[in-house]
Amino acid sequence: MGLKLFNTLSRSLEEFSPLESAGRRVGMYCCGPTVYDFAHVGNWRTFVLADLVRRTLEFKGFEVTHVMNVTDVDDKIIQRAAASGTPPREFTGRFEQAFFEDLNTLNCLPPHHRPRATEDVPRMIALIEKLIGRGIAYKAADGSVYFSIQKYQAAGGRYGRLVTLNADGMHGEARINSDDYAKDSAADFALWKARSPEDGSVFWPSPFGEGRPGWHIECSAMSMNILGPSFDLHIGGEDLIFPHHEDEIAQSEGATGKPFVKYWLHGAHLLVEGRKMSKSLGNFFTLRDLIGKGFTGREVRRLLLTAHYRETFNFTMDGLHGARAALARIDECLEKLREIAGSAPGGGGENSGGEGGGDMLRQFGGALDDDLNVSAAWASVFEWVADLNRGMTEKAIGSAGAKSALTAWQKMDSVLGVGAPSDAKVPAEIVSLMAARQAARKERNFRQADEIRSELKARGWTVEDTPKGPKAKKI
Ligand code: AMP
Ligand code: ZN
């Protein structure tokens, strides 16, 4: 079965087939963070979704080029940097670094390209010039440059591809801000914002005067620069459908005359008590808040990947405890499998329970093919774990069976990305010796601690004391 995805462009499920004729290479763009603060776990739901899409495509043998921009210029950044008395570049650099650290904590694969808006301004200017040249953009009395929706439509462009719009409900309602007063029409949106005194040092020279790019043009310029005028996939949270993505389509297709993106994927929001998790509502947790409460990146990742991406999902602490319990069930099974896999062959029943995972992988892949039905994918994992546990209790799984089950898990985990803590590979008796050594050290009984260390050594393990506590390593 092929991969089916819900394309916001057609509002329907479509079979995924890349633009490239050979059909293996995929260009994928995900709107990145605006780096004025730490990302909250609502934001992370969307970035983890992008990671799920990429990993699923790779699982299916596609070669993905993954681009994620960093929005490091906008009103909030300018205001917050000024308020903190930090130069804007230093201010955004701090949150950009934190963002990529968090991305790593959540085990998201690093995007192949991560262009910064402030480093791509000449390309944005070139794109705006093209739109002016085509008569679709105009410079207004306030010195800013706007995109004219009316002219775009007159030139054959269709505005309202991702959403159904009525003529006067467009930008006027969606985002009223200080850019709006000089426009020909309330629906027009800014491509270039003329320099204002509040911008401080944040401005660039351009043929239309000093100023800075609008947010929408950033994504059009950066995505097309790396992926070309037409590419396969564009991903973001559902709040970006309008106006951000609608405007990206209009600008890009208005400038190139070519179809911009084949599949648009939008993730539903993470909610808190029924309301969108957001900075403005103040109902948010950052990843760091949760790590500070003792949760791990893989637990948060599992929580964010619990529900189907098109369903809103309520964030709760109970949900996080549930994620912890779910992962513990998997870890325990994997630990037992590793022990069996490491033992001498025999025990009978090799592959008798389907633990090699052929059927399992088909079921798992089938769930993902169904518009990334991750909850069905997890259900098949937990069924498999239950079967394996039964098989191991009945001593029906030998070392070859355990090894092939572990290989199947590796394949599944290449998509789920929840890994396994490294000490899960450490046999149970070594873990308990380690704990005993810790207890002895706590009681300042160093002789006993040393004896236990020797005992560990005799069993082929050494202890490394790290800032995160002692770790067992195979000699
Ligand atoms: P921002 O840094 O505000 O530009 O947002 C980064 C990404 O997070 C965008 O794709 C948003 O659509 C997404 N996002 C914001 N809030 C939520 C939420 N509560 N749940 C899921 N995604 C969100
Ligand atoms: Zn974008």
Side-chain angles (χ1 to χ4, degrees), residues 362-413:
R362 261 187 300 283
Q363 209 181 327
F364 179 82
L368 294 169
D369 278 348
D370 179 20
D371 194 26
L372 308 169
N373 191 343
V374 79
S375 41
W378 283 111
S380 60
V381 168
F382 288 113
E383 235 172 79
W384 177 75
V385 164
D387 282 350
L388 284 166
N389 284 339
R390 207 171 309 118
M392 288 190 284
T393 308
E394 292 166 3
K395 306 251 182 289
I397 296 172
S399 89
K403 274 184 193 142
S404 59
L406 288 167
T407 307
W409 166 251
Q410 254 173 22
K411 192 96 181 68
M412 290 182 270
D413 195 46

Side-chain angles (χ1 to χ4, degrees), residues 12 18 44 62 130 133 160 181 197 209 251 277 286 309 320 348 354 400 445:
S12 64
W44 285 116
F62 292 103
K130 222 172 199 179
Y181 61 90
Q251 298 161 152
M277 180 180 282
T286 65
Y309 75 94
L320 265 178
N445 188 346

Side-chain angles (χ1 to χ4, degrees), residues 19 27 29 223-224 227-234 260-262:
L19 287 167
Y29 184 88
S223 61
M224 291 198 292
L227 298 171
S230 302
F231 58 93
D232 299 292
L233 266 167
H234 198 126
F260 179 42
V261 170
K262 193 168 177 188

Side-chain angles (χ1 to χ4, degrees), residues 153-170:
Q153 287 170 325
R158 194 153 69 80
Y159 192 78
R161 302 278 295 283
L162 297 173
V163 281
T164 310
L165 296 166
N166 59 38
D168 44 37
M170 303 211 265

Side-chain angles (χ1 to χ4, degrees), residues 173-233:
E173 284 171 15
R175 196 180 252 211
I176 297 173
N177 60 31
S178 55
D179 310 322
D180 285 357
Y181 61 90
K183 300 189 289 190
D184 286 356
S185 155
D188 295 352
F189 58 90
L191 299 168
W192 186 260
K193 301 178 178 192
R195 181 182 172 187
S196 76
E198 300 82 61
D199 291 347
S201 62
V202 185
F203 64 90
W204 287 260
S206 85
F208 351 104
E210 288 172 341
R212 59 189 165 99
W215 174 37
H216 315 309
I217 199 78
E218 288 178 16
C219 281
S220 287
M222 291 188 275
S223 61
M224 291 198 292
N225 172 44
I226 296 164
L227 298 171
S230 302
F231 58 93
D232 299 292
L233 266 167

